[in-house]
Amino acid sequence: MRVQRVGPYPIAKPPPAQRLIGSLLANKRLPRHALLQALGMLQYHCGWISPNHLSDLSRFAKLSIGEIKGIIEFYHFLSLQPPKPYCIYLSTNIIDRWQRAGLDLSLLEENENVDVKQTSCVGMCDQGGSLLINGLPLTGLTQERIEKINDLILRQEPLSQWPQDWFTVEESIHVKGPLLTNSIQPGDALNKARKLGEAGFLKILQASNLRGRGGAGFPTHLKWKACIDARGDQKYIVCNADEGEPGTFKDRLLLTSYLAKVVEGMCIAAWMTGASRGFIYLRYEYIYLLEKIQATLSACREQGVLDSATFDIEVMLGAGAYICGEESAMLESMEGKRGIPRIRPPFPVTHGLFDKPTIVNNVETFCNIAYLADDGLQAFIDNGNAGSRGSKIHSVAGDCERSGIYEYPFGSTVKEMLHGCGGEQAQAVQVGGPSGKLVLRADFDTPVDFDHVSSSGSFMVFGPGRDLKLVAQNFLHFFKDESCGFCTPCRVGTQVLAQHFDRVCEGLESQHEWELMNDIASLMGQASHCGLGHTAANPFIDWRDNNVTADSLSAKPEFIPVFDLAKATAYSRSLREENHDN
Amino acid sequence: MTIDIKNPSFLLDGEEVPFTEGQTVMEAALTAGSYIPHLCFHPELQAHGSCRLCIVESDNRLHASCTLQANSRLKVSSQTQAINKMRKHIVQMLFVEGNHICPSCEFSGNCQLQAMAYELDMEEGHFHFRYPKREQDASHNDIFLDRDRCINCELCVRASRENDAKNVFSLGGRGTETHLCANSASGKLGDTSLDVSDKAANICPVGALLINDQSYVTPKEDRVYYQTSISLRGNRRPKEIE
Ligand SMILES: Cc1cc2nc3c(=O)[nH]c(=O)nc-3n(C[C@H](O)[C@H](O)[C@H](O)COP(=O)(O)O)c2cc1C
Ligand code: SF4
Ligand code: SF4
């Protein structure tokens, strides 16, 4: 797929579906697993899934329109509403809100030619004020630029004519460790691994104690061994490039500048397991990288690292859903369905993509594999500590002088990292995103590793003036917006918790509501179906544990009930008024 | 406890429950006549694990018993105060999430959600009512779909696929906007092939999928869960509407 800039959207004369998704069709049939890919392309090129395109898809995929609509409604970026010529998405992440704080966007909100919508973190926390326009990131916003954008939108200037430099996403690496320094000759890592033999490399992998970098920290050698042992005529290697945890953008860097290494890591996995096909599940927010990624994959084919006879890699696009970073939800999404986490066990290593044995690893984990194969065990374990070998790449953003990418050995303390980025003044840091942990100033000596505070790569710095209550509120709303809706505790719990925390922020919560929030937090943490629900109350718990004493609760202003009669009856009253009018 | 390989069993609240290879804790318990509260489980359909009412504790962790494989090392607790308190909160969540009109609902007394509330001593919604706006669908001649009362358990979805071989329903949307879809071009139930005799039309645990001419056939006071608790009777729809 070419990622030409599209805009204004071709609303009056949308191109026929066949032209946009022809490459996915086989004998005029759309395989089920290609449905989400088709929807993503139609959305990107047309700004919505029009009724005409819906009925085309329904014919091609042999699915009812009702069912397809249900899938569309699951994903943030797929829309059934006729678009305006342009569509802007603003990230709701607290860091992005702060970055846009001085900017007046009302111009755009009032502009008839553009929809201004919100979405969860788009992975641009180090880029200054930013937005997505018709699917592409526009960084470094200033008031002047917003005014220019507004003019271009008013004039309906084709997006392709907009200044190129507005769309650049600069990667700024501040500290390079072994992973970002090492350079591999194409094919080298795979060849070195091959020389050791399967059993030999697996031993190295075990000795390295490499643990997954996507958040859960599962030992990679155990996962791989299980997939090697699993029976299956076909196996798959999947690279998780969903990077949905707010504040994280380190996979963006790896995909931009280190993809060859990721590919090599995937090749090693394929060789070990006998898999012949691999996939990169790329979040929709990173569609701007698609062309570059495909160019790199082509180069790898030319160099013989990839080839269709042994192992080749395709990119699959997400469509906006944090839950699709959870590996089993991701597999569902890759099969063209709503991203609902599967019942586990069985795990993907035995029953993964299309029910076949599948290895799912994070982008950075595959990079580590290549590095381990290339530089050897000793170099790898020279970094980190016994429980957490190697180094970790962090996305640092927020109230610090130098946001960007930092690679530190595991076990580096929060303080060291703050020193590195010029964030010494911080009152607190959120390590590992909203599902991670809030570390207060008093605890800045805490090492960042799997045994202390674990991180998927997000490191958000909060300066002295920031209200941490608003941070917690922002994170709770994130989970409310991203719960997949499958299980009761999380589907309802995230809603209710966010709502009651709003009252905390207004200073209105009662003792009763406080108990209620505690109940919800403990229920979600224990009884939910997947990791999202298990961690979704963390921002509340951290805030509670850091701030609340019996005293701070007793002095509440006058009780104001949650129930608002006027609001609750507004709809019925409006019906009565409608009837009067008729 | 000694492990008998021929007749394996696990412990549920201190009692031995026999199981056969491949059974889940829920299946084995129900077969043995021990009730574990549930709403989205049905013995003839694939387990779902979404309502979370069937949570049980083992090894200091909670599991959904409908997806937990039985094995003879298991020691499971179900009827503890702490777990039943969580269950009650889950039922409360289901109540506040939808628009449940028990006093005037055709399904009152036959409804498993309501019965579960009685079972767990639920007296109030506890959480803030959300009053969602949801679409009703009266396009089918024999069957009425009231999404206000739907709890997204997917029993109808699974029954249609697994039992009726039809795929009439699916869930759509995300998060709190999750909703039942009719798989037709118009999205209306009347345009699907759903038949009043299908399992999918006769499986809803609540009053969300109602058979038109069967409402109010039994006076309220004679309805099943006004007579017997759900833990004794199990999750079964009354005879006359099956
Ligand atoms: C709600 C949720 C979101 C997740 N998002 C991501 C993600 O964006 N990227 C990622 O690599 N792993 C994510 N994970 C973890 C994956 O489920 C999985 O553990 C990981 O991809 C495995 O790779 P690893 O072992 O290399 O870390 C997420 C997990 C949960 C529960
Ligand atoms: S915990 Fe939340 S995200 Fe996970 S399955 Fe349940 S509703 Fe979905
Ligand atoms: S209509 Fe009934 S059976 Fe179907 S999902 Fe809703 S509550 Fe479950």
Side-chain angles (χ1 to χ4, degrees), chain A residues 323 340-341 482-487 490-491 528-534:
Chain A
I323 189 57
I340 305 291
E482 296 297 339
S483 164
C484 84
F486 174 74
C487 71
C490 168
R491 184 181 67 238
S528 296
H529 172 65
C530 87
L532 191 153
H534 292 148

Side-chain angles (χ1 to χ4, degrees), chain A residues 420-475:
Chain A
C421 69
E424 290 93 342
Q425 298 297 312
Q427 59 165 322
V429 176
Q430 184 78 21
V431 183
S435 71
K437 181 122 194 81
L438 182 76
V439 181
L440 295 185
R441 193 168 184 87
D443 302 320
F444 280 177
D445 284 327
T446 313
V448 179
D449 61 24
F450 292 112
D451 297 319
H452 297 90
V453 42
S454 173
S455 178
S456 54
S458 164
F459 191 89
M460 294 188 265
V461 184
F462 306 138
R466 304 296 189 184
D467 184 349
L468 295 181
K469 197 157 50 185
L470 299 184
V471 172
Q473 182 187 33
N474 181 271
F475 292 168

Side-chain angles (χ1 to χ4, degrees), chain A residues 343-421:
Chain A
I343 295 168
R344 303 183 313 159
F347 292 95
V349 282
T350 58
H351 296 75
L353 189 62
F354 309 125
D355 223 25
K356 304 289 184 197
T358 302
I359 283 182
V360 180
N361 275 126
N362 175 255
V363 179
E364 188 182 345
T365 312
F366 282 120
C367 255
N368 271 285
I369 295 280
Y371 167 66
L372 174 66
D374 194 47
D375 264 18
L377 180 62
Q378 194 54 48
F380 185 86
I381 60 176
D382 274 349
N383 280 288
N385 52 40
S388 316
R389 292 285 182 214
S391 64
K392 178 80 192 92
I393 305 179
H394 299 272
S395 330
V396 177
D399 298 319
C400 61
E401 279 160 30
R402 296 171 293 279
S403 51
I405 298 289
Y406 293 77
E407 182 184 357
Y408 285 115
F410 274 108
S412 305
T413 63
V414 172
K415 192 183 270 167
E416 285 163 344
M417 292 172 62
L418 281 173
H419 185 69
C421 69

Side-chain angles (χ1 to χ4, degrees), chain B residues 15 22 30 43 59 75 105 116 144 163-164 177 198:
Chain B
E15 307 259 326
L30 288 185
D59 284 332
K75 284 186 195 148
C105 175
M116 200 60 74
F144 175 54
N163 192 85
D164 310 336
E177 303 291 331
D198 287 349

Side-chain angles (χ1 to χ4, degrees), chain A residues 294-351:
Chain A
Q294 273 165 351
T296 309
L297 293 178
S298 298
C300 290
R301 281 179 206 115
E302 273 159 31
Q303 292 154 351
V305 176
L306 293 175
D307 73 84
S308 52
T310 39
F311 179 65
D312 207 346
I313 298 174
E314 281 170 55
V315 182
M316 279 204 185
L317 263 188
Y322 167 65
I323 189 57
C324 290
E326 194 283 338
E327 57 185 13
S328 67
M330 185 176 77
L331 298 172
E332 289 287 294
S333 178
M334 292 173 73
E335 292 179 11
K337 304 175 200 157
R338 294 159 74 242
I340 305 291
R342 294 177 179 171
I343 295 168
R344 303 183 313 159
F347 292 95
V349 282
T350 58
H351 296 75

